[in-house]
Amino acid sequence: MSMARNVRRLMVESPNSLGARSRGRRWERVREFFPSIDDMRVIDLGGTVDFWLRLDRRPAHVVVINLDKPAEPAPPDITVIVGDACNPPPEALVGDFDLVFSNSVIEHVGGHANRLAFADVARRVAPMHWVQTPNRYFPLEPHWLFPGFQFLPVAARASVAQHWPLAHTKSRTRQEALSATMSTELIGRTELKAYFPDSDIVEERTGPLTKSIIAVRPEVPGTGSATRTTADPGGGPAR
């Protein structure tokens, strides 16, 4: 295995990596905001079956909407719908949902108009939601693990995507590199709050820096329903 692959595994891919520990803490926080999640019906916008299979406990039922069909059949408590999370097919929205969940998706939907549509779905189809996205202003871009990648000109980003050894999937051609970089648009706290004006915006931090931001409409403990508050559990200044 190459040194670059070893570095990436240590940082984000192995079960004991920094990224895996961060994801574990994130799920603990999800449970804090949604104490009844084990009994909920959840719709995951743009997620994967693998994400839910890695958890030791899952909600009562999860509907996953993704453009790609999973390679393996899902278990009975997970339903997979192939479709666009910004404009879900009617069969994806059958029945009532308790919670909309989305993990690192809104930055990939393709532009402001699609982010608006995505946020509208998240706010509309369930009384509660958790929508997480990497913070644009964290210095290490999470997809390519390249410092300041998100602030480079498109041509420079494409070159990094094609040649940087720590990328998740190195682009084979210049066109692939351009497509990959142009389809990833990180946003900051101000944009997320604009998309979710009636949600709390909370933060995940690495030391003093905000690594991820999350739009949350939380559960009222003991009721299984959502509340809207003016408090910001995450604290910290607006970006």
Side-chain angles (χ1 to χ4, degrees), residues 54-157:
R54 286 196 298 265
L55 301 176
D56 56 351
R57 290 154 53 198
R58 296 196 291 271
H61 195 88
V62 178
V63 174
V64 174
I65 302 178
N66 198 297
L67 293 172
D68 299 319
K69 185 177 181 180
E72 301 293 332
D77 59 339
I78 301 177
T79 299
V80 178
I81 303 291
V82 177
D84 185 351
C86 299
N87 184 24
E91 63 267 26
L93 304 181
V94 173
D96 295 326
F97 292 98
D98 302 296
L99 171 67
V100 170
F101 182 87
S102 180
N103 198 57
S104 297
V105 173
I106 195 171
E107 71 271 20
H108 295 294
V109 299
H112 173 62
N114 283 338
R115 289 192 292 271
L116 277 174
F118 182 93
D120 177 70
V121 173
R123 296 168 61 203
R124 174 168 47 87
V125 303
M128 295 174 275
H129 56 244
W130 167 283
V131 178
Q132 178 273 344
T133 187
N135 177 29
R136 173 175 171 79
Y137 300 101
F138 188 71
L140 186 66
E141 203 283 340
H143 303 89
W144 283 272
L145 297 182
F146 189 91
F149 177 91
Q150 63 272 39
F151 304 117
L152 296 175
V154 171
R157 278 185 279 154

Side-chain angles (χ1 to χ4, degrees), residues 189-190 203 235-239:
R189 184 186 178 105
T190 299
E203 299 177 353
R239 292 285 182 182

